[in-house]
Amino acid sequence: MEQEQDEDEVMSEVHLGCPPHFTGPFISRFTFSLPSLETRDGNNCCSSHIEVNSSPKEVTFDEDGDLVLDRRKNVTEKCESYEFSIRHNVTSSLKNVGLQVWKASLVLTDFVLHKCLTSSEFNGVTAIELGAGTGLVGIALARSARSVYITDKGIGILDNCLENVNLCSRLLSLQENRLHVRELDWNESWPPLLGSNDLFQTRLKYTWSPLEIEEAERATVLLAADVIYSDDLTDLFFAILDKLMSRGSEKVLYLALEKRYNFSLDELDVVANGYSHFRRFLKDESDCGSPDSASFPCFVGKLVDLQEIPQYIREYERGKDVEIWKVTYCQKQQN
């Protein structure tokens, strides 16, 4: 217990506006704008000169997952405002960073909102969020998706994530049966162990059922934000990714990260910890070689142009050190 208390605390810059010296859970409201009827085509509703409603409203979608806009509002309004209420810690130990909201998760949430507004790619999908932390990204996807598995490790993080699912389900009128908070330890095998009576009751509710494992293997979308910050963690991440992407349906991963720079005594230079190690796992599509190549299986990575993704969430500065990668899995076809 003393060792845990002596462990260094870290704080996400997203929380700089929170009350100073606040130690308990805190609820932040992340507001975002969606285009009104007049600006649905072509205009960026997130520009600072465009008016928005001051009070958040309920988000509603039709049975096809399309946004239903309130036509009773004055058409001179350019955007309408909504919010995610997310409970988080203001600071945490390194092993509990999933209790905080990090910039990469907000960038990936912007990406998900944009995809849901401008394409049908996420309509009706089954998705898994890996290392979900507060669950924000998976919650944002839940309106369009058929089913979202929000996964992480540790009872404290999972309990907090479930609380956020409950908070946002009420606020955004989400169907809670679309969201499943489940434990997924990257140190363990996939498929995960099934629930048993030997588990503590608090952990039992986060275990997988056989039907859920089958559904997860049919997932076509994987999401992860801010899981790249140490080489050991990156190795574990790609190991579980290999297990997931090599089974069941063909999957695509959208991964958001923030490059964090520190001075390296080994290189006598400022470097982004973990980033170069992460890049070694990715190949260009041409690098996967011919069907006879020995490079299978491999992960193919393509950098997403963030200039094409508007900033919907208002409460953060995107900066230049965040990236989103689209990652696919290339494996040798059986004859």
Side-chain angles (χ1 to χ4, degrees):
M1 193 73 176
E2 291 180 4
Q3 183 179 0
E4 187 171 327
Q5 290 176 347
D6 293 339
E7 193 171 349
D8 289 340
E9 295 279 304
V10 295
M11 184 177 76
S12 167
E13 66 179 74
V14 174
H15 303 154
L16 291 177
C18 295
H21 312 299
F22 191 87
T23 57
F26 184 82
I27 294 179
S28 288
R29 290 173 172 80
F30 295 100
T31 57
F32 59 100
S33 296
L34 297 179
S36 66
L37 186 62
E38 181 179 347
T39 59
R40 198 170 186 179
D41 296 322
N43 291 329
N44 178 3
C45 73
C46 301
S47 300
S48 60
H49 67 278
I50 290 179
E51 302 173 22
V52 296
N53 291 335
S54 59
S55 58
K57 320 160 86 58
E58 182 179 282
V59 180
T60 55
F61 291 75
D62 64 22
E63 60 184 9
D64 296 321
D66 295 324
L67 178 70
V68 177
L69 296 170
D70 188 351
R71 287 175 167 77
R72 293 173 296 176
K73 290 295 176 185
N74 192 319
V75 295
T76 60
E77 292 179 324
K78 306 300 183 182
C79 291
E80 294 181 350
S81 183
Y82 308 89
E83 70 179 33
F84 295 112
S85 292
I86 298 295
R87 190 178 77 166
H88 60 86
N89 281 15
V90 177
T91 64
S92 70
S93 63
L94 280 173
K95 75 173 185 178
N96 286 314
V97 291
L99 291 172
Q100 298 191 59
V101 180
W102 299 90
K103 187 185 295 188
S105 67
L106 297 174
V107 173
L108 193 56
T109 299
D110 278 339
F111 177 82
V112 167
L113 290 172
H114 188 64
K115 281 282 188 181
C116 291
L117 285 170
T118 61
S119 78
S120 60
E121 181 178 347
F122 291 156
N123 287 359
V125 301
T126 296
I128 306 172
E129 185 182 3
L130 301 167
T134 62
L136 173 60
V137 179
I139 290 168
L141 179 61
R143 260 302 174 181
S144 291
R146 177 180 180 273
S147 187
V148 181
Y149 289 90
I150 300 177
T151 69
D152 213 311
K153 173 187 173 184
I155 296 301
I157 291 174
L158 293 169
D159 282 348
N160 187 68
C161 191
L162 183 60
E163 176 64 20
N164 287 329
V165 167
N166 294 333
L167 281 170
C168 291
S169 294
R170 292 192 293 269
L171 182 66
L172 301 178
S173 298
L174 298 175
Q175 295 180 22
E176 291 187 33
N177 60 3
R178 292 189 181 186
L179 287 159
H180 315 274
V181 179
R182 293 292 177 265
E183 185 162 36
L184 184 56
D185 186 341
W186 300 348
N187 285 292
E188 298 179 359
S189 61
W190 176 272
L193 296 175
L194 300 177
S196 72
N197 293 331
D198 296 332
L199 293 173
F200 289 111
Q201 191 64 36
T202 52
R203 186 180 177 189
L204 190 60
K205 62 184 174 182
Y206 300 123
T207 58
W208 299 73
S209 72
L211 288 177
E212 288 173 343
I213 291 173
E214 289 181 17
E215 184 180 35
E217 292 194 345
R218 294 194 298 269
T220 55
V221 175
L222 305 178
L223 301 166
D226 223 327
V227 297
I228 304 298
Y229 49 86
S230 78
D231 291 355
D232 290 342
L233 187 65
T234 300
D235 291 342
L236 289 173
F237 175 73
F238 276 96
I240 192 65
L241 201 61
D242 181 71
K243 295 168 187 173
L244 287 169
M245 298 186 88
S246 63
R247 301 169 66 104
S249 300
E250 183 176 342
K251 299 171 176 62
V252 59
L253 164 73
Y254 291 105
L255 169 69
L257 60 88
E258 181 180 2
K259 292 186 282 187
R260 295 181 176 87
Y261 294 93
N262 293 285
F263 185 79
S264 169
L265 291 175
D266 292 334
E267 302 182 37
L268 296 179
D269 199 359
V270 176
V271 297
N273 289 338
Y275 184 74
S276 59
H277 187 68
F278 155 73
R279 291 295 303 272
R280 293 190 190 104
F281 283 92
L282 302 182
K283 297 180 181 295
D284 293 329
E285 193 166 6
S286 59
D287 293 337
C288 274
S290 67
D292 297 326
S293 172
S295 62
F296 290 102
C298 64
F299 297 99
V300 178
K302 182 180 180 182
L303 191 62
V304 174
D305 185 359
L306 288 183
Q307 295 293 325
E308 298 179 359
I309 310 300
Q311 183 171 332
Y312 294 90
I313 303 290
R314 302 190 187 110
E315 287 80 9
Y316 79 107
E317 295 291 334
R318 184 174 287 183
K320 299 179 180 179
D321 295 322
V322 288
E323 295 179 350
I324 295 179
W325 286 84
K326 179 181 180 180
V327 179
T328 54
Y329 187 76
C330 188
Q331 56 184 326
K332 196 170 185 176
Q333 299 294 322
Q334 298 293 327
N335 293 329

